[in-house]
Amino acid sequence: DADVTQTPRNRITKTGKRIMLECSQTKGHDRMYWYRQDPGLGLQLIYYSFDVKDINKGEISDGYSVSRQAQAKFSLSLESAIPNQTALYFCATSDGTAYNEQFFGPGTRLTVL
Amino acid sequence: AQSVTQLDSQVPVFEEAPVELRCNYSSSVSVYLFWYVQYPNQGLQLLLKYLSGSTLVKGINGFEAEFNKSQTSFHLRKPSVHISDTAEYFCAVRLMDSSYKLIFGSGTRLLVRP
């Protein structure tokens, strides 16, 4: 079984709809991250959390919110989706070691019409 | 500000040929360096990392990379590529500060042709 899972894997929605992307991990890591991938731009950090009570904004947090429901669960919400939020979204986890290797989920492809 | 530059957006190469994917970074503080690979329809997988010590690091699938501090580069190499190496490759740096954030390059698509 995968260590980092994301649901759904694909989602098509309409402008203005509220969308939630979910991430679960079985690695026992405290740190979790949400990234967005756009062609030619690499990965950009949306939000990150170092533990259940710690939530931090990343580079591109506008239009997004997150919830850390438990150590193993970190969800990303788009309160009112817009077409330029069409992208591939990745969740990642890491432990607290110095080099902080991050482990990625398989991604969620979101299309906003 | 810190940044990672991957100059080549796509690198086509024939099977069994050598390949080098270039990565340069800019940072005012020390960094750790990583290469990740993304196969089609999959998440990112760590290929190799440089933390300290020997500047030549070896990773999975026959890849290696060399850290050059003076040139602020961390180029990825493989002496003989396979069709299965077709994927997107991302260089990333982590600042040695309390943020523990990864900064990614824009990616290089390696296309291996028979």
Side-chain angles (χ1 to χ4, degrees):
Chain A
D1 289 338
D3 295 319
V4 185
T5 57
Q6 293 182 234
T7 56
R9 293 293 312 278
N10 289 282
R11 182 71 183 268
I12 299 173
T13 190
K14 295 181 179 179
T15 297
K17 294 292 187 180
R18 183 177 187 275
I19 295 297
M20 178 180 287
L21 309 182
E22 298 185 341
C23 176
S24 295
Q25 54 113 346
T26 59
K27 298 191 74 65
H29 290 164
D30 287 326
R31 300 176 180 189
M32 298 186 74
Y33 310 79
W34 274 105
Y35 291 92
R36 168 179 171 157
Q37 183 183 21
D38 296 280
L41 293 180
L43 276 73
Q44 296 173 278
L45 184 62
I46 307 173
Y47 271 95
Y48 61 104
S49 169
F50 282 179
D51 65 40
V52 174
K53 297 181 181 179
D54 178 77
I55 302 289
N56 303 282
K57 292 182 177 180
E59 307 163 272
I60 54 164
S61 59
D62 287 348
Y64 301 94
S65 63
V66 292
S67 173
R68 185 80 184 267
Q69 301 94 324
Q71 185 205 36
K73 296 184 182 295
F74 192 37
S75 59
L76 176 72
S77 293
L78 287 68
E79 296 301 326
S80 179
I82 56 177
N84 75 2
Q85 290 177 313
T86 293
L88 192 54
Y89 291 85
F90 286 104
C91 174
T93 74
S94 71
D95 59 22
T97 60
Y99 61 86
N100 195 48
E101 178 182 343
Q102 295 189 15
F103 296 84
F104 287 79
T108 294
R109 185 170 298 280
L110 177 66
T111 302
V112 183
L113 301 176
Chain B
Q2 292 76 23
S3 65
V4 179
T5 302
Q6 292 180 248
L7 289 173
D8 305 306
S9 60
Q10 182 164 305
V11 173
V13 63
F14 287 108
E15 192 173 21
E16 298 183 4
V19 70
E20 177 180 83
L21 306 184
R22 297 179 293 169
C23 173
N24 289 87
Y25 69 92
S26 172
S27 176
S28 57
V29 301
S30 296
V31 297
Y32 298 121
L33 296 152
F34 303 84
W35 274 99
Y36 282 85
V37 59
Q38 183 182 25
Y39 297 106
N41 300 313
Q42 295 186 28
L44 278 71
Q45 177 184 357
L46 183 67
L47 202 54
L48 49 77
K49 58 183 180 278
Y50 173 78
L51 309 178
S52 64
S54 173
T55 57
L56 182 65
V57 292
K58 295 187 182 297
I60 61 172
N61 301 337
F63 284 92
E64 63 181 31
E66 185 157 20
F67 170 53
N68 188 318
K69 188 174 183 179
S70 63
Q71 296 185 3
T72 60
S73 68
F74 191 52
H75 300 332
L76 181 70
R77 302 186 185 102
K78 186 169 183 178
S80 176
V81 295
H82 302 290
I83 297 288
S84 59
D85 292 323
T86 294
E88 187 137 21
Y89 293 79
F90 293 95
C91 181
V93 302
R94 181 175 91 63
L95 308 181
M96 292 187 190
D97 61 12
S98 61
S99 68
Y100 294 98
K101 288 187 284 188
L102 276 178
I103 300 169
F104 284 87
S106 57
T108 297
R109 181 167 297 279
L110 176 62
L111 180 59
V112 181
R113 298 168 173 165

